[in-house]
Amino acid sequence: MSMDLLKQIAASRLPVSFRTPKEMDAVRILRQAGLVIAFVPAPSDPLKLSGAEPAAQVLAITEKGREELARIRYPGEAEQAGSRHMGLKNWLIGGRGGHGLQQVLRARGHDSRPS
């Protein structure tokens, strides 16, 4: 759960808040591991019935957190990233209907300056 939440945080605009007890526990774990900088409320007092609803607020992902994100891979991610790059590679060499960069350069005679 915590690593999934770290991935969700990385895809979000920061700061981001979490209100459910499960999410707040996950943020607490990420903070203790040094992966995020976050405000996490102290455990609530069950006798206190008034006041603001607690929330954990993530301000930033640390360098260690970014390294961890780069290290983890989920099934299917590598294939998706590879196919995206192959599409660009195919476009550059003209594999998409002959309209690639090489055809454009050949049409211009490898000189991009106006005549």
Side-chain angles (χ1 to χ4, degrees), residues 14-92:
L14 298 175
V16 62
S17 297
F18 298 95
R19 298 195 184 283
T20 68
K22 186 176 180 181
E23 290 172 331
M24 287 192 295
D25 287 340
V27 170
R28 204 173 271 115
I29 291 167
L30 291 172
R31 186 180 76 168
Q32 289 172 347
L35 303 177
V36 297
I37 297 171
F39 292 125
V40 180
S44 61
D45 181 2
L47 298 176
K48 185 178 180 183
L49 299 175
S50 63
E53 184 179 329
Q57 187 174 36
V58 178
L59 304 176
I61 298 175
T62 64
E63 174 102 14
K64 183 178 177 184
R66 298 242 177 245
E67 289 170 0
E68 191 65 24
L69 281 168
R71 189 180 67 78
I72 60 174
R73 292 276 183 231
Y74 289 91
E77 277 189 351
E79 295 135 19
Q80 290 173 355
S83 65
R84 221 179 13 231
H85 294 293
M86 285 304 294
L88 178 61
K89 182 179 177 184
N90 284 340
W91 182 84
L92 289 173

